Amino acid sequence: MSAPAGSPHPAASARIPPKLGGAAASGAAAPAGPGPGPHQQNGPAQNQMQVPSGYGLYPQNYVAPSGHYSQGPGKMTSLPLDSQSGDYYPGLYTVPTQNVVTPNTASQQPGAQQMYGRVPPAPHVVGSALGSFQGAMSSASHLQTSASQPYSSFVNHYNSPAMYSVNSSVASQGLPSTCGHYALSAVSNASYPGVPYPSLPAGDPYRQQMLTSQSALTVRPIRESSLSGQNTAVSHPSPLPPPPSQQYQQQQSLSGYSTFSWSAPGLPSTQDNLIRNHTSQVAANNNPTNTVADSLSRSVMQNVQPPKSSPVVSTVLSGASSTRPPPAAPRPAEPAASVAQPPELSQQKGMQYGEYVNNQASSAPTPLSSTSDDEEEEEEDEEAGVDSSSTTSSASPMPNSYDALEGGSYPDMLSSSASSPAPEPAPEPDPAPAPAPAVPQPSKLAKPFGYGYPALQPGYQNATTPLNSGVPPSSPGYSGFQQYAQQYPGMNQLSSSLGGLSLQSSSQPESLRPVNLTQERNILPMTPVWAPVPNLNSDLRKLNCSPDSFRCTLTNIPQTQALLNKAKLPLGLLLHPFRDLTQLPVITSNTIVRCRSCRTYINPFVSFIDQRRWKCNLCYRINDVPEEFMYNPITRSYGEPHKRPEVQNSTVEFIASSDYMLRPPQPAVYLFVLDVSHNAVEAGYLTVLCQSLLENLDKLPGDSRTRIGFMTFDSTIHFYNLQEGLSQPQMLIVSDIDDVFLPTPDSLLVNLHESKELIKDLLNALPNMFTNTRETHSALGPALQAAFKLMSPTGGRVSVFQTQLPSLGAGLLQSREDPNQRSSTKVVQHLGPATDFYKKLALDCSGQQTAVDLFLLSSQYSDLASLACISRYSAGCIYYYPSFHYMHNPSQAEKLQKDLKRYLTRKIGFEAVMRIRCTKGLSMHTFHGNFFVRSTDLLSLANINPDAGFAVQLSIEESLTDTSLVCFQTALLYTSSKGERRIRVHTLCLPVVSSLADVYAGVDVQAAICLLANMAVDRSISSSLSDARDALVNAVVDSLSAYGSTVSNLQHSALIAPSSLKLFPLYVLALLKQKAFRTGTSTRLDDRVYAMCQIKCQPLVHLMKMIHPNLYRIDRLTDEGAIHVNDRVVPQPPLQKLSAEKLTREGAFLMDCGSAFYIWIGKSCDNNFIEDVLGYPNFASIPQKMTHLPELDTLSSERARSFITWLRDNRPLSPVLHVVKDESPAKTEFFQHLIEDRTEAAFSYYEFLLHVQQQICK
Amino acid sequence: MAFTFAAFCYMLSLVLCAALIFFAIWHIIAFDELRTDFKSPIDQCNPVHARERLRNIERICFLLRKLVLPEYSIHSLFCIMFLCAQEWLTLGLNVPLLFYHFWRYFHCPADSSELAYDPPVVMNADTLSYCQKEAWCKLAFYLLSFFYYLYWLRFRLGTRPVSSLHPSAQPGVW
């Protein structure tokens, strides 16, 4: 190993130095730190290294790296080599001599251990190298794909997972890098390549904190070409295996892994090496073996090195591994690698594996998913690369190692674990820095395994401190999915380390910086607000669930309910469990490993006590690891339970076995219930619907069993017999609406594929069938009863289109709205249902696994408050199109069309249940969303769709003093449209804190606002709207006064908020001016109720746009700070505050409200802009209703369109664009969103602050 | 003392109180049933079981709703009887609960015409634990008042209480 490393270093440095130099160096430095010479450079790293004797070896590596450092990349490579060679070093490298010395000094461990130490570094190096190589290796590809930086972070993560014990140290290092990545990723999401680097800078600071002097260097190395050198080194090992003992083989394999997997693999490999070394030591053969290995490695290294390019390396590796040459190839070429990998996997593992691989390849990004789509793609590549690497590595080296392992016991485990990391890398390689940290960790990890846990803790502590520093930078929030936690032997250890970390002073500054709200004029940041990143160590952070899926209002959980009460902040979770993911590990397994007492699914945050037992992180029960779980299909290795994908990803999907179903999974069944009364025909929605259905008939999710049916109703109910074989659809009319029955038992719901022609005939005929109807009544209730009967045997989805108040039969409603009360400031009545008919029917539907989705297209009051119950309790969704008319209101028609397209083609899960579990001591109460609570923690969801969000309120029932981490797990069991029973599991891990300041530092203000909005909706229905409004204001007053009196010691005359809460008053004011809660402004009851429905069931990202839209100035778009998406330049104008003071008559502004875009054109807007972008000569000629931007061949038009397209691409529902001229009547729509301004009935932002201040002083 | 109206009131209260205790126990069991689904988690997730479970919940909620009025009216009857019998102390002890019942009965959220124990509402963990606590408190109250009525019944009937609850509570009477 050492030999290869040494050689690679120089070479790498020479080759890659410039770019990766920094990153790689950091990585290298970290490992080296432990070593003697390097120590100086890698302050933090050294500490880590020192702890484990093995680390001592690392330091050696460092020394070598240090030499390399000048060459940046070279260092990285050297490190990997070192790690691999571990033993090899002495012989191989000139540097090795240094290394040897260092190990001795640094590590007290036996020679073997030293070797280990070295080995680990090598993996790290590899990881870093991979990062640097980006292009060359799969890892490199990873880096490259996701804004290179993120990837590097990912790599780090991987490494850390592999490392386990090491992880802690790694994590610390990694965290900084990750943080940087996060920031980058956030940025990068949009931009990709360009963005990544920004993150790097962030990473550097962190590193600096962590590593101090070395930080910068370490970072660079990772990225650089040194990786290639490492890779080559890895490949070398593979060749070597045959000659050396099993141990050697293992090492080789490991080295190979490291190269393959990149950072992650590399780390594991290092661990493996260490383990193996241990074994070898045990055997007392260390020296000879090492030498042999070294020689081998050297030879290999040399061979490999020439190839430098990742592909070459991979191929070499494959050759070495012999078992998996193909995988290696895939890795090298990033895209190619991803593609190639799946096949390999499939071949190796059979169908299941193939699936898994594919999924990863496609969805690997899950962790990354948080990033933009583009990033996701990149992620995919990375993941694919990782997978392939892991598989390959596992395939070739693992077997050998296993044999050896069995003898070695623990070491084996470690090695296996190390190998597993390979998959991890895919997740989210952060910038180079991360890898470096990872390296140290691995070494530590290795020790723990070998030596026992105690050793680990010190390492953790070391790691943790750096982590803290790194943590502070709240990156936008990618949480890597990596599951390093598992690797960590014990949560306890982690917790202890975390406890030490808590919120360090370094981290606190930003989030706790006091902000004087009344003095700060520009409170709104220039860029969108990202979720804060929990203050965890880097490994855990990387493994953590994406904030897009799972967010907590407090990212630092208070230890006791008393502390929570003091903080006066809401505690709860916001979930988006079924959102569209581009990368998602899907696991097929006969036994799904779950805790025997609390039934928690195994997740990245469990701790493995030893190879055979794991400790549940929610209830702390110790469970056995099933035999089947010992085998890792990804790496094809045995004895590495912590490397299984379940343990490496915090978002996974299981394909459930037959235990999870009593009846065969239901087919996809869709029923459309359409209002065809006079009112409906007038509105003309049928044309839009039928057109949309015809277009998307083939895209409806489902399989060959998919069934579909239609019903129409006015004062009678019409069924349509679409039985295959009929010449035309047959209409059956049931006029007995008091006792509805089905005219025929079957053939009303027909197979979509068999009766497609009839269905098309019907859809073509429907819009014109009722044109002359004079029927004005609507028997919605009976129609729903009929639909329920029709759907009962199977369950499925009912889509109801209603255009007026139901006026006949069961469930008829009366108008309850008094138009004169619309702008009342006092009492708003009738927010609750008028009858419980719809609620009861909804519960019946829920019991029969039928969801009812309501499309309300009405121009008059339709009592949505009552009608919405049908969807709310059956887990449906609600769409509302006020004043819909296909001719007179084209923007609504367009919106319906777009919504329908999404609605019909989006993913859907049937007969679903969702269960949320949390660590003992916490308890959930009060769920928000559309569902029925079946038992206290089980939500019954007849359907689940990707646009559904949920919220949960939490309370702390028992003190959490004996734990430093809490975890939340959401498990969503559903039947896919293909008839598979699947379980999607998300796991979130958060630290526990004991001081109030830490609680404030960790506030996620967006999540808190969304939870408050949900609570306020409940309050307005159960109590009154004014109560709810008071409660919202009190939330601000209480939290700010609690902060002022307990945390900040500043004078009370000013309104002080911690930086983390500075947007809180603004958002609450926005909520108070939201349609749902505003008073004094004329608001139709249905609009208000619809806004409440949306608050209840929208995921956080959409809800935030609804509450606080984004305003951009678009008449002066420039390429400054622009990001690149799919070869397109997307300008990134700064956010403007929502105030008319920002609107100048000379400008044009775009407001992004989530469901709609408004472009406001000022009266004196530059004619050039109007002509270039809107295609009209001047302001006066712009039409009143304009919903599209013409495609003009001008630069400003291109920029405007690419920006709008980019905004659109980031959300499932395509918003409709409204061009609003100044002084047109439509401008009130626009101006009502300017929430910082004063209206007749509401405060301006400044007045609101004064009001809050007054309340506080009272 | 002879068999007075007050003694009759206490006797009747004693019997009805036993019924109220039964109601309270039934409530506790019902809420427990609502809270926990006594199926293995895997079974719970089964769609077939879902139907069963939902039916169960609705049945329980239906029964709970059915029991609201009898319970409240029985308790109101107590109060009226003690008022007529001029048992001020006993009445005073019962009045707080009477007002609580009135509040529960007439405090309907917003528009909904239905009573409490609406399945979607009652299944909320918060509501459920509140209901459970309420049921336990009522059980305690009814149990205590049962013995209280027993004591006063004996006292009003002029016989020395057999139980040793308060042997010297009314020394002058004997």
Side-chain angles (χ1 to χ4, degrees):
Chain A
M1 296 294 289
S2 64
S7 63
H9 289 297
S13 64
R15 299 169 185 172
I16 309 169
K19 297 177 183 177
L20 301 178
S26 66
H39 290 294
Q40 296 173 350
Q41 292 178 350
N42 308 329
Q46 291 177 354
N47 294 335
Q48 297 174 352
M49 293 301 292
Q50 291 175 353
V51 173
S53 61
Y55 299 115
L57 293 175
Y58 282 106
Q60 294 175 353
N61 295 331
Y62 284 110
V63 174
S66 65
H68 297 294
Y69 280 112
S70 60
Q71 300 169 350
K75 294 176 182 178
M76 293 304 291
T77 56
S78 68
L79 290 172
L81 292 171
D82 292 346
S83 66
Q84 295 174 350
S85 59
D87 299 343
Y88 300 100
Y89 272 109
L92 296 172
Y93 292 90
T94 59
V95 174
T97 60
Q98 294 175 352
N99 293 334
V100 173
V101 173
T102 56
N104 294 335
T105 60
S107 67
Q108 303 166 352
Q109 300 175 347
Q113 290 177 351
Q114 293 175 354
M115 295 299 287
Y116 293 127
R118 293 174 184 175
V119 173
H124 293 295
V125 174
V126 173
S128 63
L130 292 171
S132 61
F133 284 108
Q134 298 177 351
M137 296 300 282
S138 64
S139 64
S141 66
H142 291 298
L143 294 171
Q144 293 173 348
T145 56
S146 61
S148 59
Q149 298 172 350
Y151 287 106
S152 63
S153 67
F154 284 98
V155 173
N156 292 336
H157 294 297
Y158 287 21
N159 293 335
S160 63
M163 297 308 290
Y164 281 124
S165 64
V166 174
N167 290 341
S168 64
S169 64
V170 173
S172 64
Q173 295 174 349
L175 289 176
S177 66
T178 57
C179 293
H181 293 296
Y182 283 3
L184 293 173
S185 65
V187 176
S188 64
N189 293 340
S191 63
Y192 292 164
V195 176
Y197 288 85
S199 65
L200 288 173
D204 290 347
Y206 293 107
R207 295 172 185 171
Q208 290 176 354
Q209 296 174 352
M210 301 295 291
L211 302 176
T212 65
S213 64
Q214 292 178 349
S215 62
L217 293 172
T218 57
V219 173
R220 293 174 186 174
I222 295 171
R223 292 180 181 176
E224 291 178 352
S225 63
S226 62
L227 294 172
S228 65
Q230 295 177 351
N231 294 330
T232 58
V234 172
S235 65
H236 293 294
S238 62
L240 292 173
S245 65
Q246 292 176 349
Q247 293 176 350
Y248 286 109
Q249 291 176 352
Q250 293 175 353
Q251 292 177 350
Q252 293 172 352
S253 66
L254 291 169
S255 63
Y257 284 73
S258 64
T259 57
F260 286 107
S261 61
W262 291 67
S263 63
L267 292 172
S269 66
T270 58
Q271 293 178 349
D272 294 350
N273 291 335
L274 292 170
I275 295 166
R276 295 172 184 175
N277 292 332
H278 289 294
T279 58
S280 67
Q281 290 177 353
V282 173
N285 295 332
N286 295 336
N287 295 335
T289 57
N290 291 334
T291 57
V292 175
D294 292 350
S295 64
L296 290 170
S297 65
R298 288 178 182 177
S299 64
V300 176
M301 290 297 291
Q302 293 172 354
N303 296 332
V304 176
Q305 290 175 351
K308 286 187 180 180
S309 67
S310 60
V312 175
V313 174
S314 65
T315 56
V316 173
L317 292 169
S318 66
S321 63
S322 75
T323 55
R324 302 182 182 179
R331 295 172 186 173
E334 298 174 354
S338 64
V339 175
Q341 294 174 350
E344 294 177 359
L345 292 170
S346 65
Q347 293 174 355
Q348 295 175 352
K349 299 174 181 179
M351 292 303 289
Q352 293 180 350
Y353 288 100
E355 282 189 12
Y356 182 88
V357 172
N358 291 331
N359 290 330
Q360 288 183 339
S362 65
S363 64
T366 41
L368 298 174
S369 61
S370 63
T371 63
S372 65
D373 296 342
D374 298 341
E375 290 181 356
E376 288 180 352
E377 291 178 2
E378 293 176 356
E379 293 174 357
E380 291 178 358
D381 293 342
E382 292 181 358
E383 288 185 350
V386 173
D387 292 347
S388 66
S389 67
S390 67
T391 56
T392 57
S393 64
S394 65
S396 62
M398 290 309 292
N400 297 332
S401 65
Y402 281 129
D403 298 341
L405 288 170
E406 290 180 358
S409 70
Y410 269 85
D412 293 350
M413 290 301 289
L414 292 173
S415 66
S416 66
S417 66
S419 66
S420 64
E424 293 175 345
E428 301 177 359
D430 282 338
V439 173
Q441 293 179 351
S443 64
K444 292 178 180 178
L445 289 169
K447 284 185 172 183
F449 283 96
Y451 293 118
Y453 291 85
L456 289 172
Q457 289 187 349
Y460 280 125
Q461 293 175 352
N462 294 335
T464 55
T465 54
L467 288 172
N468 291 336
S469 64
V471 174
S474 57
S475 48
Y478 275 30
S479 45
F481 282 68
Q482 329 244 346
Q483 294 119 356
Y484 291 61
Q486 295 179 349
Q487 295 181 348
Y488 294 92
M491 291 292 281
N492 296 335
Q493 294 176 354
L494 290 173
S495 64
S496 67
S497 65
L498 288 169
L501 295 170
S502 70
L503 294 176
Q504 292 184 350
S505 59
S506 63
S507 68
Q508 291 200 3
E510 184 44 37
S511 57
L512 271 183
R513 179 174 59 85
V515 176
N516 190 334
L517 293 173
T518 47
Q519 311 257 313
E520 189 101 11
R521 261 188 89 66
N522 296 310
I523 202 81
L524 198 67
M526 302 287 270
T527 54
V529 182
W530 298 96
V533 177
N535 185 28
L536 296 167
N537 71 31
S538 61
D539 313 342
L540 289 179
R541 192 186 286 183
K542 290 170 196 167
L543 288 171
N544 225 342
C545 195
S546 157
D548 289 348
S549 304
F550 213 149
R551 262 166 101 162
C552 185
T553 56
L554 302 179
T555 54
N556 295 315
I557 303 288
Q559 217 165 43
T560 60
Q561 180 72 36
L563 189 60
L564 176 62
N565 292 343
K566 258 190 228 162
K568 306 272 188 197
L569 291 165
L571 176 59
L573 301 172
L574 284 118
L575 305 168
H576 191 181
F578 200 59
R579 81 194 174 90
D580 293 320
L581 295 168
T582 50
Q583 291 195 348
L584 175 67
V586 179
I587 295 159
T588 310
S589 167
N590 290 333
T591 52
I592 295 172
V593 182
R594 303 173 68 175
C595 172
R596 288 177 66 88
S597 80
C598 67
R599 309 300 296 168
T600 299
Y601 294 83
I602 196 164
N603 61 71
F605 309 106
V606 303
S607 41
F608 281 93
I609 306 238
D610 56 37
Q611 201 168 343
R612 292 285 174 185
R613 290 179 303 163
W614 59 279
K615 188 173 173 190
C616 175
N617 54 339
L618 298 192
C619 68
Y620 308 121
R621 186 189 202 274
I622 292 170
N623 296 278
D624 292 336
V625 176
E627 190 59 32
E628 190 187 345
F629 201 70
M630 300 296 290
Y631 177 77
N632 186 347
I634 304 299
T635 59
R636 287 181 136 199
S637 57
Y638 184 85
E640 299 179 333
H642 48 277
K643 291 198 173 177
R644 296 264 304 193
E646 298 92 310
V647 193
Q648 297 294 337
N649 296 287
S650 60
T651 296
V652 293
E653 191 154 284
F654 296 97
I655 297 186
S657 61
S658 52
D659 299 345
Y660 290 80
M661 45 188 130
L662 274 189
R663 62 173 187 181
Q666 69 164 62
V669 182
Y670 306 108
L671 176 66
F672 293 87
V673 180
L674 314 173
D675 182 0
V676 292
S677 61
H678 180 72
N679 202 16
V681 174
E682 269 298 288
Y685 81 90
L686 276 174
T687 322
V688 180
L689 171 67
C690 292
Q691 194 56 41
S692 214
L693 259 176
L694 280 171
E695 282 166 14
N696 295 302
L697 210 50
D698 296 326
K699 297 181 200 155
L700 282 177
D703 54 11
S704 59
R705 304 179 298 159
T706 306
R707 291 158 75 183
I708 193 169
F710 295 89
M711 280 170 56
T712 54
F713 66 94
D714 40 33
S715 63
T716 56
I717 300 169
H718 323 132
F719 297 87
Y720 295 88
N721 184 342
L722 299 166
Q723 189 60 46
E724 190 189 6
L726 290 175
S727 59
Q728 61 177 50
Q730 201 174 42
M731 181 160 131
L732 308 162
I733 301 178
V734 173
S735 54
D736 183 4
I737 55 169
D738 293 328
D739 181 20
V740 186
F741 60 93
L742 299 181
T744 62
D746 46 15
S747 75
L748 295 178
L749 282 172
V750 294
N751 188 295
L752 174 61
H753 303 286
E754 289 168 3
S755 303
K756 190 168 271 177
E757 287 313 311
L758 279 178
I759 292 164
K760 284 183 176 171
D761 287 350
L762 177 65
L763 288 175
N764 284 320
L766 256 184
N768 301 318
M769 274 168 74
F770 301 94
T771 41
N772 297 319
T773 184
R774 287 161 183 250
E775 191 57 74
T776 54
H777 283 295
S778 159
L780 176 65
L784 285 173
Q785 287 173 326
F788 168 66
K789 284 187 180 167
L790 198 52
M791 297 295 279
S792 285
T794 52
R797 181 175 79 186
V798 178
S799 313
V800 179
F801 290 78
Q802 171 72 8
T803 60
Q804 58 174 320
L805 209 58
S807 56
L808 269 187
L812 81 147
L813 298 167
Q814 257 102 42
S815 177
R816 298 187 289 166
E817 187 188 35
D818 176 2
N820 298 325
Q821 296 289 315
R822 276 180 190 163
S823 56
S824 155
T825 52
K826 297 171 191 165
V827 187
V828 179
Q829 286 178 316
H830 311 305
L831 292 172
T835 165
D836 55 359
F837 169 82
Y838 294 99
K839 191 187 282 183
K840 281 185 173 151
L841 191 60
L843 291 188
D844 289 341
C845 288
S846 175
Q848 301 297 334
Q849 306 298 340
T850 305
V852 183
D853 294 341
L854 177 67
F855 288 79
L856 186 61
L857 317 107
S858 97
S859 45
Q860 291 175 345
Y861 176 73
S862 306
D863 202 353
L864 185 60
S866 303
L867 293 181
C869 289
I870 190 73
S871 297
R872 183 176 302 158
Y873 299 111
S874 66
C877 44
I878 300 159
Y879 295 87
Y880 177 50
Y881 305 88
S883 357
F884 179 87
H885 195 283
Y886 75 113
M887 290 284 286
H888 303 152
N889 199 343
S891 65
Q892 287 285 21
E894 188 192 340
K895 185 164 188 299
L896 174 66
Q897 193 188 352
K898 286 180 170 173
D899 286 356
L900 275 174
K901 185 175 181 214
R902 163 75 181 169
Y903 174 76
L904 294 172
T905 56
R906 72 187 176 189
K907 244 183 111 168
I908 184 169
F910 297 99
E911 44 187 7
V913 289
M914 182 164 79
R915 175 164 262 144
I916 306 165
R917 298 180 172 89
C918 53
T919 298
K920 202 168 67 177
L922 291 171
S923 78
M924 279 161 300
H925 63 93
T926 317
F927 297 86
H928 303 276
N930 288 352
F931 51 74
F932 176 67
V933 185
R934 211 195 290 157
S935 64
T936 47
D937 61 344
L938 187 70
L939 307 185
S940 170
L941 303 160
N943 281 183
I944 179 76
N945 68 70
D947 302 328
F950 302 90
V952 194
Q953 285 172 250
L954 293 169
S955 60
I956 303 167
E957 294 208 321
E958 297 167 31
S959 165
L960 299 169
T961 41
D962 52 350
T963 176
S964 62
L965 293 175
V966 291
C967 291
F968 306 93
Q969 187 172 72
T970 310
L972 177 71
L973 171 66
Y974 68 97
T975 302
S976 75
S977 52
K978 308 279 184 213
E980 271 177 328
R981 204 76 173 131
R982 287 170 167 238
I983 308 165
R984 186 174 290 186
V985 179
H986 301 275
T987 314
L988 177 72
C989 179
L990 295 174
V992 175
V993 296
S994 56
S995 87
L996 204 51
D998 290 348
V999 175
Y1000 281 112
V1003 179
D1004 182 343
V1005 71
Q1006 293 192 322
I1009 278 294
C1010 291
L1011 186 65
L1012 277 176
N1014 275 297
M1015 292 160 68
V1017 170
D1018 274 3
R1019 181 69 75 89
S1020 3
I1021 293 171
S1022 67
S1023 181
S1024 72
L1025 193 64
S1026 53
D1027 260 19
R1029 287 172 57 86
D1030 290 347
L1032 285 174
V1033 177
N1034 286 340
V1036 180
V1037 172
D1038 289 348
S1039 59
L1040 292 187
S1041 67
Y1043 173 77
S1045 60
T1046 56
V1047 178
S1048 89
N1049 298 317
L1050 301 170
Q1051 77 275 21
H1052 281 269
S1053 59
L1055 188 59
I1056 304 291
S1059 177
S1060 57
L1061 270 180
K1062 67 177 181 182
L1063 293 174
F1064 197 39
L1066 179 63
Y1067 286 156
V1068 167
L1069 180 67
L1071 259 189
L1072 292 174
K1073 294 188 176 182
Q1074 232 284 323
K1075 272 185 188 169
F1077 302 112
R1078 72 185 180 191
T1079 55
T1081 311
S1082 179
T1083 311
R1084 301 193 321 152
L1085 192 51
D1086 278 350
D1087 286 347
R1088 190 188 293 279
V1089 172
Y1090 180 60
M1092 290 184 172
C1093 292
Q1094 284 197 300
I1095 287 174
K1096 279 285 215 173
C1097 65
Q1098 293 264 336
L1100 185 141
V1101 270
H1102 303 157
L1103 190 51
M1104 273 321 294
K1105 290 234 173 58
M1106 200 179 118
I1107 293 171
H1108 190 274
N1110 291 338
L1111 183 67
Y1112 308 92
R1113 177 164 187 171
I1114 55 162
D1115 63 327
R1116 292 177 188 166
L1117 291 178
T1118 64
D1119 283 346
E1120 192 183 331
I1123 57 174
H1124 297 260
V1125 181
N1126 297 337
D1127 298 334
R1128 250 189 355 204
V1129 179
V1130 179
Q1132 296 288 297
L1135 282 182
Q1136 308 279 339
K1137 69 179 191 172
L1138 293 171
S1139 166
E1141 98 187 40
K1142 290 290 176 191
L1143 299 179
T1144 66
R1145 291 196 170 174
E1146 290 79 35
F1149 292 82
L1150 172 72
M1151 183 185 282
D1152 171 10
C1153 301
S1155 57
F1157 288 152
Y1158 296 98
I1159 291 183
W1160 180 85
I1161 309 289
K1163 223 184 205 171
S1164 326
C1165 185
D1166 187 6
N1167 279 347
N1168 289 334
F1169 174 79
I1170 295 177
E1171 194 168 344
D1172 287 352
V1173 176
L1174 301 176
Y1176 292 93
N1178 54 46
F1179 180 77
S1181 57
I1182 302 172
Q1184 290 291 346
K1185 288 184 178 174
M1186 187 175 172
T1187 56
H1188 285 100
L1189 290 185
E1191 296 209 3
L1192 300 175
D1193 193 21
T1194 61
L1195 186 61
S1196 48
S1197 169
E1198 205 169 294
R1199 280 177 181 157
R1201 279 184 291 113
S1202 79
F1203 180 57
I1204 291 169
T1205 313
W1206 174 71
L1207 288 175
R1208 265 194 188 139
D1209 287 346
N1210 287 339
R1211 71 202 68 199
L1213 291 176
S1214 181
V1216 175
L1217 179 74
H1218 303 270
V1219 177
V1220 179
K1221 283 168 72 177
D1222 194 14
E1223 291 185 344
S1224 84
K1227 78 170 183 178
T1228 49
E1229 275 290 300
F1230 176 79
F1231 278 96
Q1232 69 176 0
H1233 291 295
L1234 298 175
I1235 55 98
E1236 293 198 29
D1237 291 338
R1238 188 158 190 270
T1239 66
E1240 314 102 48
F1243 289 131
S1244 71
Y1245 178 57
Y1246 187 70
E1247 286 169 331
F1248 181 68
L1249 288 178
L1250 292 181
H1251 174 70
V1252 169
Q1253 191 175 355
Q1254 216 171 28
Q1255 297 283 313
I1256 291 176
C1257 294
K1258 240 196 272 184
Chain B
M1 282 250 207
F3 185 80
T4 61
F5 178 65
F8 169 75
C9 284
Y10 280 115
M11 216 162 75
L12 194 60
S13 316
L14 209 57
V15 177
L16 291 177
C17 203
L20 287 181
I21 290 170
F22 170 79
F23 283 2
I25 294 174
W26 192 87
H27 271 81
I28 290 170
I29 297 172
F31 290 129
D32 201 50
E33 169 98 29
L34 286 178
R35 179 189 297 273
T36 37
D37 192 351
F38 297 101
K39 289 272 183 178
S40 81
I42 289 183
D43 285 346
Q44 281 179 27
C45 301
N46 198 295
V48 177
H49 170 66
R51 226 160 288 172
E52 214 175 285
R53 167 77 181 162
L54 254 175
R55 230 171 280 146
N56 234 343
I57 291 172
E58 289 193 323
R59 194 172 42 85
I60 294 172
C61 288
F62 178 74
L63 275 173
L64 282 171
R65 233 176 285 175
K66 286 269 176 196
L67 281 181
V68 169
L69 215 52
E71 184 192 339
Y72 291 5
S73 50
I74 287 175
H75 190 258
S76 312
L77 183 66
F78 284 8
C79 296
I80 295 168
M81 285 194 309
F82 292 129
L83 180 70
C84 298
Q86 297 183 327
E87 292 287 332
W88 305 118
L89 177 63
T90 315
L91 182 63
L93 291 175
N94 275 296
V95 161
L97 184 61
L98 181 72
F99 278 109
Y100 176 73
H101 281 163
F102 272 109
W103 178 79
R104 280 281 281 182
Y105 190 80
F106 292 106
H107 182 79
C108 284
D111 262 8
S112 65
S113 52
E114 63 244 78
L115 280 171
Y117 306 127
D118 181 30
V121 176
V122 83
M123 286 307 291
N124 186 319
D126 231 9
T127 320
L128 206 54
S129 59
Y130 175 80
C131 290
Q132 184 110 34
K133 260 180 224 153
E134 186 197 21
W136 276 107
C137 292
K138 278 188 184 173
L139 176 65
F141 178 81
Y142 291 142
L143 266 177
L144 285 176
S145 45
F146 180 83
F147 290 108
Y148 175 85
Y149 298 150
L150 189 66
Y151 173 82
W152 280 99
L153 171 62
R154 308 251 168 165
F155 182 72
R156 290 291 178 230
L157 285 175
T159 48
R160 187 190 177 82
V162 178
S163 68
S164 59
L165 272 178
H166 295 287
S168 59
Q170 303 287 336
V173 177
W174 316 113

